[in-house]
Each structure stands twice: as structure tokens, then as C-alpha cells.
Amino acid sequence: MTTERASTGPLHHDPTRRSVLQFALGAPLAAGLAAAVPVLSALPANAQARPAVPRIERVSIGRGTLRTVGRAAHLREVAGADSAARRSTAVGILATKQIRTDSFSGAALTWSGDAPSEATLLLRTRSRGGGWSAWRALHDDEHGPDPDFPEALRARRGTDFVITGDSDAVELRIETPDGEIPHDLGIELVDAGHSPGDAAVAAPYNGDMSAAASRPTIRSRANWGADESIRGSATYGQVRGAFVHHTAGSNGYSQSDVPGIIRSIYAYHVNGRGWKDIGYNFLVDRFGRIWEGRHGGVTRAVIGAHTSGYNSYAFGTSLLGSYGSTNPSDAALTAIARVIAWKFTVHGVDPTRVSYPSSLTPQPAIAGHRDAGATACPGDRLYSRLSIIRGRVANAMG
């Protein structure tokens, strides 16, 4: 159960709201499973490999919590954001008041059913004790379980998860030409919690691709402090290809920030979106480190929730950060190529062939998320470098 709170006033803090959900510490991976998967299952001796406790809160946004904002004032305030109101005068603007919240470090929007196709959702957050961020336009991230799977029955639509830094207030604007807003709209606010292992991070891979098809170093779920008590059981399919994603959000994170960022995405996917686990099979950071995503064994064909329709036939690797106008590091490109080359070797995938079932739209063996959905993911700068990743994978596999 998530906390729900209506927005009722400027920097309003509702004293009657239900307690923010805090997840209990979960058991670590079973000994047999940990031995079966080729990951770093132990942290350094000076760090405790125990899960951290994320906190997630949903601020419910209904028609009664919204007010009308004039177009001219709105355009002045959202300058620089992707605004539909700037492109058309036939757009109404609805807004919450400024909502004070408990501390959080990441935010996203979710809703039930389909979002109105013409609505633009804009969000800003206030740093704890500081100023407000710029307005961000958030879009349907097109992630999710395959529609014919049980996991999809309780899934909510949602936007990319935005890393905000330590924050304590939020405000939402909705630009809508027909007055419609998403059904059961909520602002999901996540605080990742802290784990003793967050700062105990090993050095990144050195970038050598000479043995890329051999098993790379993959940091385990225990290394990023996963609370295993909140996830469901793994299901298995096939690996015929790979999809490359980005997570959106900040690119300026440090090495010690990464475990908390992954925990935040995990909490958002499970308790914000209603999925049974984090959607990606692997995550890569800008320092070139590879992290285990969805539970079930990195050598196995675990079905994720990253590219709807293709999850049963492909694994998903997501680069932490936003790459629409920022170039991915060469270390990150190398890490993505390494994990793809190794997985293709494990599952016997030819990186030069298209081998999805005929019922699906043909895709390259290594594709970007946008190839299979109406999304900008993995960002223009990362998408334009898929040819580099493909070349490195092909060279590594001989």
C-alpha cells in the first residue's frame, strides 16, 4: 500500500495523511542462487551487505486538487520546458499548488489506464532548504510487462523516474487541449534510504574489450541493497536479442550515488508501477560498471518489463542518466557492449541477425527502445552510438 495525499494548499503538509510506506528488510539471495549466478555477491569486509529500506509516497492528483492557470503566466514560468501551450493557444493549463512533502530523492508520475494522448505533464521539485528546479516535461516511458502476462494486470502507466536530489516539495502542471487528465493520476516520490555498502564501490572496468565475450564483472542485487522481500518470483523466456535503454534523470551522479539510484528505480517499478521487480535485466552506470537488475539469475533468460511485447524474447540493459543531449561515456558504451556480447554468447545469439518471432515487428539483434515503442529512449546521443555498440559486440564475439 502506498501513501496517498491530496494537494490542498501552497506548501501544504497534510497532518491527516497515512504513514509513508516503509518496506521491511528482506532476506538476501538464497545461498544456492547466489552461488549459481556469476555476480559479485559480497561487499568489502568493512560494509554490511544488507538491503536498504526505501520509502515511497504517492500524492494523488484529482480534479478537485487542480486550479486553472493563465497561459501567459504559465509560459513565463515553464520557459525552457517542452510545452504544448507554447505551440498552441488551444491548450488549457491546470496546476496543483506547491505541495510540501517528506524528503525524497526521485519522482515520477503514474496513472491507471491510458493517458490522454494530447496531455503534457510538467513537474518541478524543490531541493531541501533550497530553490525550485526547472520545469520538466515528463512523458509516458513506454516501459511495462508484456500485455498478456499476469504481471500486467496490476501495472500502472508511468513516466521515466527523475533523480531530483534531496527534495521536500513538488508542483505539477497539466497542459490539456480537451480538459482531460490521466485517470487516477499520482506523483510518486521515492527516498532510496541508505545502505552501508553504498560507498564501498569497486573501481570501474578499464575499458579493455579483448575478452568482452567472456563473463564481465556484474555487481549483484545485494551490492545495490535490494530488499528482496518486496519482489515476486522470476519467469523465464528466451534471449534472441537485446534492447538498450536509458533511465533518464541526472547525469551528474557519483559512484556512491549509484546503489541508491537503482534502489529508487526498483521501489518505483514495484510499488509505483505495480510490477513484480525492477524492469531492466541489467543497469550500467557512467563509470562503466554493470549491475544486476531483475532477479532470477544473470545467466538465464529472465523476463523483464522493459520493452512491452519483446520482454519474453530479449533482455534489457539501461544506462543510468539522460542521453538526449549528453554523450554517453566510452566506459559506459564498453560496459554495454561487454554485457551484451557475454549474454549473446551464453544464449547463442548471432548479433548480426534478426531472429524474433514473425508475430513481432522485426528488430536488429541490438536495438534501442524507440525501435519498438513511441518513446525517445534511449536518447538521441546514445541511440546514435548503437552502431558503435554493435561493432564492439560483433568484434568481441569473433
Side-chain angles (χ1 to χ4, degrees):
M1 181 177 66
T2 51
T3 296
E4 297 182 1
R5 168 167 55 189
S7 60
T8 56
L11 291 181
H12 179 81
H13 194 276
D14 185 354
T16 65
R17 64 182 173 82
R18 286 175 277 171
S19 298
V20 173
L21 175 66
Q22 293 192 340
F23 305 121
L25 293 179
L29 290 173
L33 176 60
V37 296
V39 294
L40 293 179
S41 58
L43 293 170
N46 63 346
Q48 297 297 313
R50 68 171 186 258
V53 184
R55 185 183 70 239
I56 185 166
E57 176 181 8
R58 178 176 299 156
V59 181
S60 293
I61 305 298
R63 180 70 61 177
T65 67
L66 297 167
R67 59 188 173 87
T68 300
V69 176
R71 182 173 181 273
H74 171 71
L75 290 179
R76 286 195 300 270
E77 293 177 27
V78 303
D82 179 17
S83 168
R86 184 172 292 109
R87 297 187 293 271
S88 172
T89 58
V91 173
I93 298 102
L94 303 174
T96 66
K97 296 180 179 179
Q98 296 173 355
I99 309 163
R100 188 173 65 210
T101 71
D102 291 322
S103 63
F104 62 93
S105 56
L109 303 171
T110 65
W111 55 89
S112 297
D114 294 329
S117 59
E118 301 302 320
T120 300
L121 307 173
L122 299 105
L123 189 77
R124 70 171 181 166
T125 57
R126 189 183 69 178
S127 62
R128 191 172 178 83
W132 287 89
S133 71
W135 286 95
R136 304 176 178 93
L138 300 183
H139 306 283
D140 189 337
D141 65 7
E142 292 286 332
H143 290 74
D146 290 340
D148 54 346
F149 274 63
E151 186 178 1
L153 295 178
R154 57 190 294 266
R156 291 170 62 85
R157 303 291 301 199
T159 67
D160 286 319
F161 184 76
V162 177
I163 301 301
T164 64
D166 192 14
S167 304
D168 62 4
V170 66
E171 186 177 359
L172 175 69
R173 298 277 175 94
I174 304 174
E175 300 176 337
T176 171
D178 54 11
E180 293 296 318
I181 66 172
H183 176 67
D184 190 26
L185 179 63
I187 307 173
E188 309 287 348
L189 305 174
V190 180
D191 182 272
H194 299 280
S195 170
D198 285 357
V201 290
Y205 181 70
N206 65 12
D208 178 15
M209 282 294 294
S210 60
S214 63
R215 187 181 74 200
T217 297
I218 301 171
R219 287 158 178 82
S220 72
R221 290 169 63 91
N223 287 141
W224 54 262
D227 179 357
E228 303 294 358
S229 70
I230 69 171
R231 63 164 173 78
S233 300
T235 52
Y236 299 94
Q238 303 175 45
V239 171
R240 300 190 182 188
F243 282 90
V244 176
H245 302 256
H246 70 169
T247 62
S250 170
N251 295 315
Y253 52 85
S254 68
Q255 290 194 33
S256 60
D257 289 334
V258 170
I261 292 172
I262 299 175
R263 287 197 302 273
S264 294
I265 297 170
Y266 178 44
Y268 170 54
H269 285 180
V270 174
N271 292 285
R273 302 293 293 273
W275 305 346
K276 64 182 179 181
D277 200 344
I278 194 169
Y280 309 114
N281 298 98
F282 299 96
L283 299 102
V284 171
D285 62 35
R286 68 187 182 95
F287 308 102
R289 299 172 303 173
I290 304 166
W291 302 80
E292 178 186 14
R294 182 162 285 213
H295 161 82
V298 296
T299 62
R300 304 183 68 184
V302 178
I303 298 174
H306 51 87
T307 310
S308 183
Y310 291 83
N311 294 310
S312 297
Y313 304 99
F315 68 95
T317 299
S318 191
L319 179 56
L320 297 180
S322 184
Y323 297 93
S325 57
T326 300
N327 292 328
S329 68
D330 192 67
L333 296 177
T334 295
I336 294 170
R338 277 182 57 80
V339 73
I340 292 176
W342 170 69
K343 280 289 282 183
F344 279 6
T345 299
V346 169
H347 297 281
V349 177
D350 182 344
T352 66
R353 294 184 57 196
V354 176
S355 59
Y356 291 110
S358 59
S359 59
L360 297 175
T361 302
Q363 302 293 345
I366 303 170
H369 184 195
R370 66 173 63 177
D371 292 323
T375 174
C377 178
D380 290 345
R381 298 293 181 89
L382 179 53
Y383 187 78
S384 69
R385 285 159 174 78
L386 289 184
S387 60
I388 296 174
I389 293 172
R390 292 181 184 121
R392 292 182 182 182
V393 169
N395 289 338
M397 295 181 68

